[in-house]
Each structure stands twice: as C-alpha cells, then as structure tokens.
Amino acid sequence: MSKITRIKGFADYFPPESEAFTFMENAARDVFSRYGYRELRTPVLEKTELFARSIGEETDVVKKEMYTFPDRKDRSLTLRPEATAGVMRSYIESGLATREPYSKLFTFGPMFRYERPQKGRMRQFHQINAECLGLTEPAVDAEVVAMLWQFLSSIRIPNLSLEINTLGCRECRPAYNEALKAYLDSVPEDGWCEDCLRRKTTNPLRVLDCKVPGCKALVDNAPALVDSVCEECSDHFGQVLAHLDDIEIPYTVNKRLVRGLDYYNRTTFEVTSGEIGSQSAVAGGGRYDGLIRDLGGPDQPGIGFACGMERLLLLLPEEEAPRPDAYLAILDAVGMARGFLILQAMRARGVIAEMSPTPKSVKAMMRQANRLRSRFCLLMGPDEIARDVVQVKNLDSGDQNDFSVTSESDLDALADFLR
Ligand code: HAM
C-alpha cells in the first residue's frame, strides 16, 4: 500500500516545536492581557467575498494565493489567508461594532496561502494576531507597536528592527495615486513586469510592493507617500513617532513600506530580523480606518498586527526539553499496584512523573530512567512495600534515601522533595 503523505507546504509539529508554539501563545496571552486584549476565535473558512473586499482584488494574496473552492452547494469559500478580515466580519456581525466599538481582540491560529514553500514560508502557517478597534489617536498606534515589541522581547527574539511608514488617508491618497501614476507612466513599459503593467492602472500602490528586482529598482525614484500626505496625516504620524520616542522603542521610517494588503491607511509597520534569510518579516501591521465601513459596518477605525509563528520559531533561543522529576521503577505486581497509587498522588501534587508499565529488571529500569533524563528514580520492591516506604535515588548525584508514604503529610513531603 502506498503511504499517504502531508500536503506540500503543510507541516506536522512535534516536540520541541509544538511546545515552542504553546510557549509563544502563552507569552502572547500574558503580554496582551496586560494591555486589556481578550481572545476571539473565528472560523478558518469564510465566504470568498470577505477577503476579496477587504484584502483587495489586486493583491497577490487574493489574486494568486488563496485556497478557494466551491462547497457542495457551489458557494465560493476560502481558507483564511489572514485573520483581520474574519475578525472584522465577526466584530460587525456580532453587533460589537455598535455595542462596544472600542474593543481589543487577539486571535491565534492557522492561515493558508498558496505560496512557494521555503524556509519560513509555508502554505499553512500560524499567526498571532491583535486588533485594537474604535480609536484613532496616535497614542493607540504607539501602544499597539509597543505591545508587539514587548511580546517579541519577552520571548527573546534577537536582532529585531522596526520599520514604520504612513500611507495617508482617503483624503490625500487619491492625489498621491495620481502623482505615482504619472511617475509610473513616465517609465518605458518594457521596464515593468507583467503584473505591474496591469497594477499601474488598477492599483498603482501595489507596484511599490512588487518583489521583482527590475520593478524594485524602478520604484526607487517614485514619489514617497510620507512626503505627499495631508497635514492631518503628517501630524498624526509625527505624534506616533514622538510617542515611540517617549517610550524608547527604536524604529526606522521606511518611505517604501506599503505592505501587501489593500486595507491599510496611515500608520503601517513591519518588524524584521537580521537572523533569518529572505523571509525576514516576523510581524507586520497597521491602521485600517475604512475597512469596517467597507465591510458594511459602522465607520469605526482599527489598527493591528500579526506575527508569523513559523518565522519566530526559527529565531527562538533553543530551550532544553523539560526533564521529568521522577521515574517509578517496579519489580513485581504488588509494587505496581502500590507504586501506581503513589505516583498518582505525586502527579496530583504537581510532580512530573513517568513509570515503568510492567515490572522489569532494576538495570533495565535504570536505563529507561536515564534515557528519559529523569531527576529521580523511585523504587518499590518487596522490602519497600513491607516498610511502607519508597526508595528515592537522585540520578544526578547518586544519593539515595527512603521516604515514608504512609500519611498524606508523608506524600506532601515526598512531593516537595521531588519537585
Ligand atoms: P502579513 O504581513 O500578510 O499581514 O502577515 C503577517 C506575518 O505573517 C508576516 O510578517 C509573516 O511573519 C507571516 N506570514 C505571512 N505569510 C506567511 C507564510 N506563507 N509563511 C509563514 N509566515 C507567513 C497580515 O496578515 C495582516 N492581517 C496583519 C494585520 C493585522 N494588520 C492589521 N492587523
């Protein structure tokens, strides 16, 4: 029989990677809760229209990368390529947008993009995502960036840099688009890739985000948004930067940063690490003040970010696998019954414990205890059972002691010793 394998670009995560995922999620929960964020869980499957309308028809994500298919009744569905659109749909649909427009929500989970898999780039990948809804003030933008920065620092991600830009608003963007279009049209057509030839007219801002080297070089001389935005946007951006200065978060203004999704306006940012190759963006985000309205909700602003967990995984300092506190070695069936009960009493008291599931020779059990890197070996032979004690051997030092296991307080003392 032929073996069934994983889908290309999809991964199984075994320990220690699976544990690193849990570690990152717990660290995010811990940091985000200090900023008043609460968890939201949304479906991985949504109606295709949600992504087309929010992320934008002209983006690579919608044009080339979505897992889209008809369901049994021929409705077009898409595996979410990112979390923000679904969070907005649910914020509007649940009535939160009207009832409690100021909401701070985070969500974790798998996202799906049909990209060419490589190191740090998967077709199923995982994001840690946070959204702050209902507020426009510059301090909010700085606070969102600060939360991201604190999270990444808390899990000790090395060599990070924060790039930030402003994309203007619906008032000033049209004039910039015209100026950009004029510049793009001034370049001979054979300079652009096929996609950019189309984007030039359909969505000129996307040309700035093209990854093709020829196009990248050509946009170097394009007018920069940060120099063309209206006074209000410029002032907003200035205040965001001033707040970041106040709280001592280092950043670089990158005039070319436009992000790959269409819903952004004003503040946008990306965090990259010098420690990983071409897929260096570990997190990205920004403000999206028109998105909720465009999805049929009230005109509420929003700002957020997402971190790519696979990229963070490449950067996490290696942790040693946790060691069990105790390994129970048993010599016969009576020892098994008594030892199992003691072991359960230890686990109930927080001891990390493993056991031999059948009686074996002392030598075989010692080998197993060492293989598991257990700190202690507990031995229950006929002699120990007769005296109602357990023999406890420290596998690092070789020291050996008997512990009485008659009363609850004996068990408490043993657990204290083992933990
Ligand atoms: P994004 O920049 O498309 O933004 O993705 C955020 C992060 O997800 C990236 O910086 C990267 O670390 C990770 N990522 C993206 N694609 C892949 C992939 N194929 N494999 C592995 N990691 C990947 C968003 O998704 C926005 N929704 C962020 C946001 C939230 N903006 C506002 N709120």
Side-chain angles (χ1 to χ4, degrees), residues 61 81-85 113 115 120-127 129-131 259-261 263-264 270-271 279 281-288 303-311:
V61 171
E82 56 111 51
T84 311
R113 295 186 193 176
E115 294 191 83
R121 190 163 72 193
M122 298 295 290
R123 290 184 173 167
Q124 175 178 306
F125 61 99
H126 297 76
Q127 284 186 342
N129 185 88
E131 315 287 356
R259 309 270 304 123
L261 315 167
Y263 49 61
Y264 291 113
E270 245 167 47
V271 177
Q279 302 304 313
V282 296
R287 189 164 270 295
Y288 44 82
I303 178 166
F305 63 78
C307 307
M309 296 181 76
E310 277 74 5
R311 307 231 174 129

Side-chain angles (χ1 to χ4, degrees), residues 328 330 335-345 347 355 380:
L328 174 72
I330 42 144
M336 174 88 213
R338 182 75 183 125
F340 204 164
L341 185 68
I342 305 271
L343 208 63
Q344 289 307 97
R347 288 169 171 154
M355 68 171 188
M380 290 218 92

Side-chain angles (χ1 to χ4, degrees), residues 351-369:
V351 174
I352 303 169
E354 304 240 15
M355 68 171 188
S356 155
T358 51
K360 284 198 188 103
S361 73
V362 174
K363 204 171 145 202
M365 285 186 291
M366 278 301 171
R367 237 194 343 260
Q368 176 66 355

Side-chain angles (χ1 to χ4, degrees), residues 58 60 63-64 192-203 206-207 210 212 215:
E58 264 308 316
D60 282 354
K63 236 185 167 64
K64 309 176 187 170
W192 302 114
C193 75
E194 220 172 274
D195 284 338
C196 284
L197 275 179
R198 192 188 62 249
R199 291 173 181 142
K200 239 159 51 100
T201 35
T202 53
N203 191 344
R206 290 271 68 85
V207 177
C210 184
V212 175
C215 301

Side-chain angles (χ1 to χ4, degrees), residues 72-192:
R72 288 176 187 276
K73 293 217 166 127
D74 225 24
R75 289 169 291 220
S76 180
L77 303 180
T78 295
L79 281 169
R80 61 179 181 193
E82 56 111 51
T84 311
V87 173
M88 294 313 117
R89 195 242 340 109
S90 123
Y91 171 70
I92 299 165
E93 192 177 354
S94 65
L96 207 61
T98 347
R99 214 172 49 242
E100 236 175 281
Y102 174 38
S103 292
K104 295 194 270 189
L105 302 165
F106 69 87
T107 186
F108 306 144
M111 309 292 153
F112 306 85
R113 295 186 193 176
Y114 196 92
E115 294 191 83
R116 201 166 46 78
Q118 62 181 78
K119 197 172 169 200
R121 190 163 72 193
M122 298 295 290
R123 290 184 173 167
Q124 175 178 306
F125 61 99
H126 297 76
Q127 284 186 342
I128 289 178
N129 185 88
E131 315 287 356
C132 177
L133 305 164
L135 297 176
T136 53
E137 288 80 355
V140 173
D141 301 34
E143 196 185 35
V144 164
V145 171
M147 184 169 90
L148 169 61
W149 199 253
Q150 185 177 350
F151 162 61
L152 295 172
S153 310
S154 78
I155 58 171
R156 295 188 290 134
I157 300 294
N159 203 353
L160 291 177
S161 38
L162 166 67
E163 296 187 354
I164 191 162
N165 193 19
T166 179
L167 295 185
C169 63
R170 61 182 105 138
E171 308 301 328
C172 56
R173 185 88 67 79
Y176 172 75
N177 270 347
E178 286 311 310
L180 179 60
K181 245 182 190 161
Y183 169 79
L184 300 176
D185 284 340
S186 73
V187 175
E189 292 223 328
D190 58 1
W192 302 114

